[in-house]
Amino acid sequence: GDKKRSFEGEARSGMTVSSAISEIAGLAGLAFTTRQGVITKLGSKSSKVSGPRWTVYFNGAAVNKDALAKLLKGGDKVALRYE
């Protein structure tokens, strides 16, 4: 079945969604690649042109544009879904 993983930490000044995911992926030993502001691979799952892809949810809402560039502040919640 699908695995769910959860990580929690404090946002540092200037930390973006991308830098937070990169840091967590590194600690968890997961591959993390992006291209043109979109997650192309996380762990063993790659985004497909016409198929499942990684979607970033920021404070509960799906963000399709510039999601990885968003600056984090205390209390923000980021979720990634492969859908």
Side-chain angles (χ1 to χ4, degrees):
D2 289 336
K3 291 183 183 178
K4 287 187 178 184
R5 295 183 186 191
S6 178
F7 300 91
E8 189 173 320
E10 293 197 23
R12 292 184 305 279
S13 178
M15 181 176 261
T16 63
V17 169
S18 182
S19 60
I21 296 169
S22 180
E23 187 174 304
I24 291 165
L27 292 170
L30 300 171
F32 173 62
T33 58
T34 64
R35 185 174 61 236
Q36 298 177 347
V38 175
I39 298 172
T40 54
K41 183 173 186 174
L42 181 60
S44 62
K45 297 188 187 252
S46 297
S47 292
K48 312 284 188 237
V49 172
S50 56
R53 66 190 59 147
W54 286 103
T55 302
V56 176
Y57 287 80
F58 190 75
N59 293 324
V63 180
N64 296 318
K65 185 172 175 154
D66 300 325
L68 296 178
K70 284 193 167 292
L71 286 173
L72 295 173
K73 57 185 181 297
D76 284 339
K77 296 195 182 305
V78 176
L80 304 176
R81 295 186 190 151
Y82 189 68
E83 50 192 22

